[in-house]
Amino acid sequence: IRSMREEDIPELLSMIARSMADAKLVHRTYESIRDSLQSYYVYTLDSTIVGCVALYPYPLDACAELGCLFIKKNYEGRGYGKAMCRFVEEKARAMGFARIFAISQSAVEYFRDRMHYAPLPRTVLPQSRLEALEASGRSSVVFGREL
């Protein structure tokens, strides 16, 4: 797992394009990823990106969001997603955050059953994130855990 670089963006966008089209992942553009590049991490095997995850900090709320978790279909079920989640949790803990949350409409079972994140009411989200979620119209579920 390493920090994402700008030259990785086209490969990342190609990798997650179908999930964005199916509305499983929030739509992202080259520019939006570039502008928050420091938040993204990629899982690589033999120089090939097989997964990604993002860590969005909310310092005023002492929490962080685990976002954009994606593993290529051919690499699912091998523990890479869990490794990426744990990696981001450690990053958040090192940054001094007390809790982490994830928002998903397609990976509900994954966060609940595999990662053991607890379902949470939307009201626990930082205000700016709650407003963005409500404006999106997505029927996502919020999950979280203490770090």
Side-chain angles (χ1 to χ4, degrees):
I1 300 173
R2 65 167 171 77
S3 296
M4 198 166 123
R5 300 182 294 248
E6 188 168 353
E7 58 266 22
D8 297 326
I9 297 173
E11 186 176 351
L12 174 72
L13 285 170
S14 174
M15 184 174 76
I16 66 174
R18 184 177 306 276
S19 286
M20 288 191 303
D22 295 343
K24 291 179 182 176
L25 284 178
V26 171
H27 182 74
R28 291 166 173 86
T29 63
Y30 183 98
E31 293 76 16
S32 68
I33 293 172
R34 184 195 61 221
D35 292 348
S36 58
L37 195 61
Q38 74 284 353
S39 297
Y40 285 84
Y41 301 91
V42 290
Y43 198 112
T44 60
L45 294 173
D46 299 325
S47 301
T48 300
I49 296 174
V50 300
C52 65
V53 68
L55 177 64
Y56 305 112
Y58 291 89
L60 297 177
D61 297 282
C63 66
E65 178 180 1
L66 184 160
C68 198
L69 178 64
F70 183 86
I71 302 296
K72 283 183 177 177
K73 191 101 174 135
N74 293 348
Y75 296 91
E76 290 178 356
R78 299 181 190 182
Y80 301 139
K82 192 170 202 170
M84 296 196 81
C85 289
R86 295 294 183 235
F87 176 83
V88 166
E89 289 172 1
E90 285 302 316
K91 287 275 187 195
R93 188 177 293 112
M95 296 167 100
F97 296 120
R99 59 190 171 93
I100 194 164
F101 66 90
I103 301 171
S104 181
Q105 61 182 29
S106 62
V108 171
E109 292 81 14
Y110 182 80
F111 282 108
R112 185 189 62 222
D113 302 339
R114 307 261 320 264
M115 294 306 302
H116 306 291
Y117 278 40
L120 299 171
R122 288 179 170 209
T123 55
V124 304
L125 294 175
Q127 188 63 36
S128 61
R129 187 60 181 99
L130 176 60
E131 290 170 2
L133 177 59
E134 289 178 347
S136 75
R138 294 171 62 93
S139 60
S140 302
V141 179
V142 178
F143 293 93
R145 68 181 297 170
E146 297 297 317
L147 297 173

